[in-house]
């Protein structure tokens, strides 16, 4: 029986298309895949190994950390800090960038990640995931400064996520479309199962937290109200709402079968212009969505063109099916 294309084979063949490639990037992705296998195993065994529940600590955003947040964060740091491919790392769970150990050479890439997106759902068995973004270090071979990480999303050389759901999947792009790999536990390898994932331009599915309706700006209220009026409303057809509350699961569904996802600006907390973090969630997911033919915006600007001002900056997010996102944007312009 033929195994299929493994992640390692796929990365190697992609690297061959770039004769100048040193192999560092391929090795970096393979090391990252190992940490995603480990985290997936911890998620699936959570209650059995006592990894569920709160760790009794807060992260930099003041959110309660789960035990699995800390396990996942440590797993990525220690899978990646010895490789020599990185000049620095930044995590949603840490106030400041992580320094590579003194004994390890500094590489030419930066890794930014949300170690366990949707971790508040782990105790109830809902899909969660790891989101990652890879940038070039402005100066290779030296420690990355805080400023080095503050690059707009268009500068990403790779973005992706691992989904820990009914199966463990790794989905990523290096700027040549989006491909998805499913972990075959019998051989411990990710196998190519979703080639060139694309988002249809039209959709009848939307994902939003309806409980925040009263806090949204008028354009988003107007758009969602139209959808909810179905066949009797101006759209003349019915729409379905799907909302997991774990961004990685909601975006994965859109990459697999289409849809639009909104976590828009709201007035609930004026100090937070959005809920999702630009560097760890919005940028990598927007990169994937654009690579799959979709659109990603804050409502006012293309997400990938935003100049970050801080490691933990938040932004509103509207992404997915091209025609639906552009409709929401047209309402913002009126």
């Amino acid at each position: 029986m033929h195994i299929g294309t493994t992640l390692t084979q796929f990365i190697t063949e992609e690297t061959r298309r770039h004769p100048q490639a040193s192999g560092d990037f391929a090795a970096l992705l393979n090391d990252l895949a190992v940490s995603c296998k480990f985290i997936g195993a911890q998620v699936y065994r959570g209650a059995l190994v006592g990894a569920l529940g709160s760790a009794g600590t807060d992260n930099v955003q003041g959110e309660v950390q789960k035990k699995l947040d800390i396990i996942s964060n440590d797993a990525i740091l220690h899978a990646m800090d010895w490789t020599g491919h990185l000049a620095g790392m930044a995590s949603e769970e840490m106030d400041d960038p992580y320094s590579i150990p003194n004994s390890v050479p500094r590489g030419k890439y930066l890794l930014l990640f949300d170690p366990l997106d949707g971790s508040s759902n782990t105790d109830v068995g809902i899909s969660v995931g790891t989101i990652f973004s890879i940038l070039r270090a402005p100066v290779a071979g030296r420690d990355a400064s805080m400023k080095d990480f503050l690059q707009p999303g268009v500068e990403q050389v790779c973005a992706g996520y691992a989904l820990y759901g009914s199966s463990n999947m790794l989905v990523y792009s290096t700027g040549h479309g989006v491909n998805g790999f499913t972990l075959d536990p019998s051989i411990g390898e990710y196998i190519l199962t979703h080639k060139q994932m694309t988002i249809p331009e039209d959709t009848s599915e939307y994902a939003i937290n309806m409980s925040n309706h009263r806090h949204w700006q008028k354009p988003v209220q107007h758009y969602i109200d139209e959808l909810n009026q179905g066949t009797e409303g101006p759209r003349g057809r019915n729409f379905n709402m799907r909302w997991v509350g774990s961004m990685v699961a909601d975006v994965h569904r859109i990459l697999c079968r289409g849809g639009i996802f909104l976590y828009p600006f709201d007035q609930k907390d004026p100090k937070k212009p959005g809920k999702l973090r630009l560097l760890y969630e919005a940028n990598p997911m927007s990169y994937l969505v654009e690579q799959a033919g979709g659109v990603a915006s804050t409502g006012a600007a293309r997400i990938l063109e935003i100049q970050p001002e801080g490691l933990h900056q938040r932004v509103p997010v509207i992404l997915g099916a091209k025609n639906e996102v552009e409709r929401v944007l047209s309402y913002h312009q009126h």
Side-chain angles (χ1 to χ4, degrees):
M1 189 178 80
H2 180 55
I3 292 175
T5 303
T6 66
L7 176 66
T8 307
Q9 179 187 344
F10 187 86
I11 292 170
T12 304
E13 288 175 354
E14 256 201 340
T15 306
R16 279 193 201 128
R17 291 199 204 107
H18 306 279
Q20 74 285 6
S22 63
D24 282 3
F25 181 72
L28 172 61
L29 267 183
N30 275 314
D31 292 332
L32 195 52
V34 171
S35 61
C36 293
K37 291 176 193 175
F38 174 82
I39 295 167
Q42 301 308 301
V43 169
Y44 295 137
R45 295 169 62 218
L48 302 175
V49 294
L52 298 185
S54 167
T57 53
D58 291 352
N59 67 11
V60 64
Q61 287 89 26
E63 297 163 334
V64 173
Q65 287 180 307
K66 298 286 186 178
K67 290 175 189 171
L68 277 167
D69 280 321
I70 296 169
I71 291 168
S72 305
N73 194 61
D74 288 348
I76 295 175
L77 294 177
H78 297 133
M80 307 305 296
D81 69 359
W82 61 272
T83 63
H85 305 312
L86 297 171
M89 288 186 270
S91 164
E92 185 188 306
E93 297 297 329
M94 299 167 67
D95 296 24
D96 301 309
Y98 175 83
S99 299
I100 304 296
N102 290 333
S103 57
V104 177
R106 272 59 180 151
K108 56 189 176 190
Y109 296 105
L110 305 175
L111 175 66
L112 301 93
F113 59 91
D114 178 351
L116 199 61
D117 178 72
S119 60
S120 61
N121 291 311
T122 50
D123 297 0
V124 290
I126 286 174
S127 297
V128 294
T130 298
I131 307 175
F132 60 88
S133 168
I134 300 171
L135 296 164
R136 280 190 211 286
V139 182
R142 68 152 168 80
D143 279 321
S145 68
M146 176 84 78
K147 185 167 173 275
D148 292 348
F149 291 92
L150 304 182
Q151 301 181 39
V154 287
E155 298 297 335
Q156 292 173 107
V157 292
C158 176
Y161 60 82
L163 177 80
Y164 315 123
S166 53
S167 57
N168 180 333
M169 278 194 71
L170 186 71
V171 177
Y172 83 98
S173 175
T174 56
H176 305 283
V178 181
N179 291 284
F181 301 78
T182 302
L183 183 65
D184 180 344
S186 67
I187 57 171
E189 283 282 2
Y190 284 109
I191 307 295
L192 179 63
T193 50
H194 294 62
K195 291 182 185 175
Q196 291 295 316
M197 301 169 83
T198 53
I199 301 171
E201 293 186 355
D202 295 297
T203 185
S204 293
E205 279 193 355
Y206 68 99
I208 197 166
N209 184 348
M210 278 298 293
S211 67
N212 288 328
H213 185 286
R214 67 194 185 281
H215 302 296
W216 300 332
Q217 293 176 306
K218 287 282 187 286
V220 173
Q221 287 180 340
H222 173 56
Y223 173 71
I224 296 298
D225 290 345
E226 269 191 358
L227 304 190
N228 288 338
Q229 288 164 36
T231 50
E232 294 83 43
R235 301 301 301 273
R237 60 192 172 96
N238 291 323
F239 286 76
N240 282 329
M241 190 182 104
R242 297 282 182 265
W243 178 254
V244 181
S246 160
M247 188 194 192
V248 77
D250 280 311
V251 173
H252 182 69
R253 183 185 60 251
I254 287 170
L255 282 168
C256 288
R257 72 177 196 210
I260 179 173
F261 169 93
L262 305 94
Y263 215 122
F265 175 82
D266 66 47
Q267 278 103 354
K268 190 162 61 173
D269 184 347
K271 295 193 294 293
K272 291 180 182 173
K275 172 78 165 59
L276 301 170
R277 288 79 177 174
L278 176 61
L279 295 179
Y280 312 108
E281 295 164 322
N283 268 345
M285 290 309 204
S286 297
Y287 187 85
L288 292 174
V289 164
E290 286 197 5
Q291 283 293 317
V295 175
S297 173
T298 63
R302 181 186 175 206
I303 288 172
L304 294 183
E305 290 178 351
I306 296 170
Q307 175 58 53
E309 293 169 5
L311 270 188
H312 299 284
Q313 179 177 346
R314 298 173 189 257
V315 292
V317 173
I318 301 168
L319 56 74
K322 179 176 182 285
N323 291 340
E324 289 302 313
V325 175
E326 288 181 348
R327 190 178 186 101
V328 185
L329 300 187
S330 72
Y331 292 173
H332 279 81
Q333 285 151 16
H334 287 161

